[in-house]
Amino acid sequence: MKKKIMLLLLTACLGLGTAGVHAAEKASSPVQGSSSSSLKEAFNELAIIPYDYQSKAFLQGQKTDISGDYEVVQRNGRVLVPIRLMGYLAEHTTGANQGYWEVVWNAKTPDDVVLRNVTLKRTVKFKVNSKTMLVNDESVKLDVPPQKIGGRVMLPLRDAATALGKQIAWLDGLILIGDTPINLKHPDTLAVKDSIKTQLTDRRKRVDYEKIATPLTQYGTDVYYMKTVYLNNGASVEEQLFRKSGSNQATRVQVPGTPVFHSGKVIGDLLYYVSTVKNQAYLYAYDLKKQQAEKVASLGDWRSEDGWLTDVRKSNNELFVNLHVGDLTMGGDMLYRVKNGALQEVLSAKSLAGLVSDRETLYYTDFRFMTEVANNLSRFNMTTGEKELLGEPGYAYGVARSVEENGGVGYRTDSSLVLKNGALYTIGFNDSDPKDPNSVYQIDTTGRAHVKLAAGASQFWVIGEQLYYLEDSSGHLMRTGLNGGKPAATLSSRNISQIRMYENVFYYTSASGTDMELFRFDPATGQEKKLAALAPGATADTTFEVNKSGVYYVSHGYEPGIYHIAADGKQRRLSKDAVDQYVLTDSGMIYTLIYKEGVYSVK
């Protein structure tokens, strides 16, 4: 709800449209000199909004669609915006660990409004029709006083932003808001402004939610996707499966019962999903090659309204099904294996993080975020039902911990649980020591002992007899032995943002100046190679996927679309429109667009 409200508020800033306002505001703009940044350099830190507002904005490098009916008004050559907009913009132009801006308003004193940031220890008080604001109780003069218009308190944009410590620049129909002064005459600023304006003045609207398609998979030239149909005035929904072959029109795939495709899982030629037939839930498999659905197993007393299908996996030629029961906080997972068309209960957990099997023995980590996080690695014998804890007492495994400066603690699951040479390998930490870093451990599969192999690791991989890991503090790619006692070697000294391993080769991104670059490291040769620079606007959060034909990624910056980077580093822009959802398959990338209906595919 908070995010939705904030998005609604941004609309207010964007109704600007006259040259008079531009001229007045520009005249009061601060001088941007050589010490300032170009628009290209600061793009990922700014909120950028156009005069010709079309419900679109760039927020810290990401194009965002805004909805709402707020308006912007002009008084004495100044732009006034709603009070809550200031908190929203500050939140999207403020660096990490700098808190958020809270709006304080009391109906008993409707003309008084406060913006407060506890982390920055900064409070700004405004009063309707007063030309004075209080910044940390110090009086500051305003060119234009806050006014109540249409029942809303409106603030002068420039003065309010300045009070929050923000810079504002006016550039050829664009308003730039952020922490960094912008050099408006820099060649890199002039080179990118038109592309940014083109994206923000796009008059198209988002595809209506009732027409949105969700890509599922591709088999050869057949693209499969689902649509959600709202029935009984939205009281119930139905998920429908469609197949589109080449350039032919899409056709609906008829399957038994009431299916749930959004949690489906593709294994080989089969799409596994749950469907309810005559009040009985079943696990089905749609054969992508034969183009027909086959019943796999009854789900017993479980119903789709009870929870969801968490996972389907094959191990040792057996099929395992993980069904969740209840909600996310109070519910839990139940693992089954399929036997003779029925589910055979195996074990229960709060949340299965990692799972690996060895014949009749299962090793798994349980993320118990509501109770005890530690002592969560177990060995389970499926024949006898015997369960035994593994690892050092007091340690949590398959979970990474982050401790904030204010003492707050966060967790994320890590499903990497590797069984090799009779030992387990996973990430863990000492739950009783808040300073203990996430590390990779080798764990005895028969008792409660472990060996620390790599301290301060955020991810790891096992290749042959070597352990590769990403060092948390530096972002470097490192290597050490599987049995401990071997000094770690630095394979890449770059600060890695995103990393993937495909066929025992690493692909990763790292920032270089204003560019985000893609690299490949082959452990077999020990060589690192730069492949390409990603599209302008790519950030540390820009994700990518890898298959046999190369690397694919989606850009949401001012040159949006799908990009492909081949093994030789040659980069192609496969789609030039704003992408919504996408799935990479062996046959290519299938995707949907934000402003155009349909499901598309590229290779």
Side-chain angles (χ1 to χ4, degrees), residues 383-398:
T383 301
T384 65
E386 180 183 3
K387 174 184 172 182
E388 184 177 357
L389 288 176
L390 300 178
E392 294 279 352
Y395 278 76
Y397 300 102

Side-chain angles (χ1 to χ4, degrees), residues 274-275 280-283 297-303 321 323 336 343:
V274 167
S275 186
Q280 175 61 54
Y282 296 91
L283 178 68
S298 167
L299 300 185
D301 295 334
W302 186 88
R303 299 290 182 269
V321 179
L323 295 175
Y336 303 86
L343 297 187

Side-chain angles (χ1 to χ4, degrees), residues 190-208:
L190 302 178
V192 302
K193 69 178 180 63
D194 288 340
S195 295
I196 294 174
K197 187 188 296 186
T198 297
Q199 293 302 317
L200 295 183
T201 55
D202 184 350
R203 295 181 180 275
R204 294 178 298 171
K205 302 298 182 183
R206 293 184 71 95
V207 174
D208 187 85

Side-chain angles (χ1 to χ4, degrees), residues 336-394:
Y336 303 86
R337 61 177 171 179
V338 177
K339 288 288 187 181
N340 300 321
L343 297 187
Q344 182 183 88
E345 184 177 322
V346 178
L347 57 87
S348 63
K350 177 62 180 177
S351 179
L352 278 175
L355 178 67
V356 64
S357 64
D358 181 17
R359 298 183 180 85
E360 286 295 296
T361 302
L362 292 179
Y363 302 94
Y364 68 96
T365 52
D366 182 5
F367 179 36
R368 301 187 296 263
F369 55 90
M370 295 293 291
T371 55
E372 182 188 25
V373 177
N375 303 309
N376 66 327
L377 174 62
S378 301
R379 180 182 65 225
F380 183 82
N381 188 302
M382 290 187 287
T383 301
T384 65
E386 180 183 3
K387 174 184 172 182
E388 184 177 357
L389 288 176
L390 300 178
E392 294 279 352

Side-chain angles (χ1 to χ4, degrees), residues 211-499:
K211 298 179 180 180
I212 291 176
T214 301
L216 295 176
T217 190
Q218 183 173 5
Y219 188 82
T221 59
D222 293 340
V223 172
Y224 289 86
Y225 63 93
M226 60 158 280
K227 282 190 173 182
T228 301
V229 178
Y230 297 85
L231 307 173
N232 305 320
N233 293 324
S236 60
V237 297
E238 177 182 82
E239 294 186 0
Q240 298 177 352
L241 180 65
F242 291 84
R243 178 178 62 248
K244 186 178 184 296
S245 300
S247 59
N248 297 327
Q249 288 281 357
T251 58
R252 183 180 173 185
V253 178
Q254 298 290 343
V255 297
T258 305
V260 179
F261 294 111
H262 72 266
S263 58
K265 176 76 175 289
V266 177
I267 302 178
D269 296 344
L270 301 178
L271 167 61
Y272 290 93
Y273 64 96
V274 167
S275 186
T276 301
V277 181
K278 296 181 180 179
N279 296 320
Q280 175 61 54
Y282 296 91
L283 178 68
Y284 274 86
Y286 182 84
D287 192 313
L288 300 170
K289 182 177 182 180
K290 298 178 181 178
Q291 297 184 1
Q292 64 184 35
E294 301 174 354
K295 188 183 297 182
V296 177
S298 167
L299 300 185
D301 295 334
W302 186 88
R303 299 290 182 269
S304 58
E305 57 267 25
D306 295 337
W308 55 84
L309 175 66
T310 300
D311 191 22
V312 179
R313 67 171 67 195
K314 280 192 172 180
S315 180
N316 298 326
N317 294 320
E318 285 193 302
L319 189 67
F320 290 85
V321 179
N322 184 2
L323 295 175
H324 190 89
V325 178
D327 61 16
L328 186 61
T329 57
M330 302 305 296
D333 288 339
M334 182 66 74
L335 184 68
Y336 303 86
R337 61 177 171 179
V338 177
K339 288 288 187 181
N340 300 321
L343 297 187
Q344 182 183 88
E345 184 177 322
V346 178
L347 57 87
S348 63
K350 177 62 180 177
S351 179
L352 278 175
L355 178 67
V356 64
S357 64
D358 181 17
R359 298 183 180 85
E360 286 295 296
T361 302
L362 292 179
Y363 302 94
Y364 68 96
T365 52
D366 182 5
F367 179 36
R368 301 187 296 263
F369 55 90
M370 295 293 291
T371 55
E372 182 188 25
V373 177
N375 303 309
N376 66 327
L377 174 62
S378 301
R379 180 182 65 225
F380 183 82
N381 188 302
M382 290 187 287
T383 301
T384 65
E386 180 183 3
K387 174 184 172 182
E388 184 177 357
L389 288 176
L390 300 178
E392 294 279 352
Y395 278 76
Y397 300 102
V399 182
R401 177 180 61 182
S402 60
V403 181
E404 306 296 335
E405 292 182 1
N406 61 6
V409 179
Y411 301 97
R412 66 171 176 84
T413 59
D414 190 308
S415 61
S416 301
L417 182 62
V418 178
L419 177 64
K420 187 177 179 65
N421 300 333
L424 292 168
Y425 298 86
T426 189
I427 281 180
F429 59 87
N430 185 345
D431 187 46
S432 64
D433 182 359
K435 295 184 179 181
D436 188 50
N438 304 311
S439 304
V440 181
Y441 290 92
Q442 179 195 70
I443 303 166
D444 182 10
T445 56
T446 62
R448 307 214 61 181
H450 71 205
V451 176
K452 182 185 291 188
L453 301 181
S458 59
Q459 293 176 257
F460 80 96
W461 305 264
V462 174
I463 302 177
E465 298 300 317
Q466 302 294 320
L467 175 72
Y468 296 81
Y469 64 98
L470 197 63
E471 190 174 61
D472 198 14
S473 59
S474 66
H476 296 170
L477 180 61
M478 311 290 290
R479 181 183 64 201
T480 189
L482 286 182
N483 296 316
K486 184 176 181 180
T490 301
L491 305 179
S492 174
S493 58
R494 305 181 189 280
N495 186 352
I496 294 173
S497 301
Q498 302 282 333
I499 185 168

Side-chain angles (χ1 to χ4, degrees), residues 36-48 60-61 93 176-183 188-189 192 196 514 558:
S36 57
S37 301
S38 72
L39 177 54
K40 181 180 178 181
E41 290 174 313
F43 177 70
N44 293 330
E45 303 170 359
L46 299 173
I48 307 177
Q60 292 179 308
T93 58
L176 317 177
I177 306 172
D179 294 332
T180 305
I182 304 300
N183 187 334
D188 285 346
T189 296
V192 302
I196 294 174
T514 61
Y558 52 84

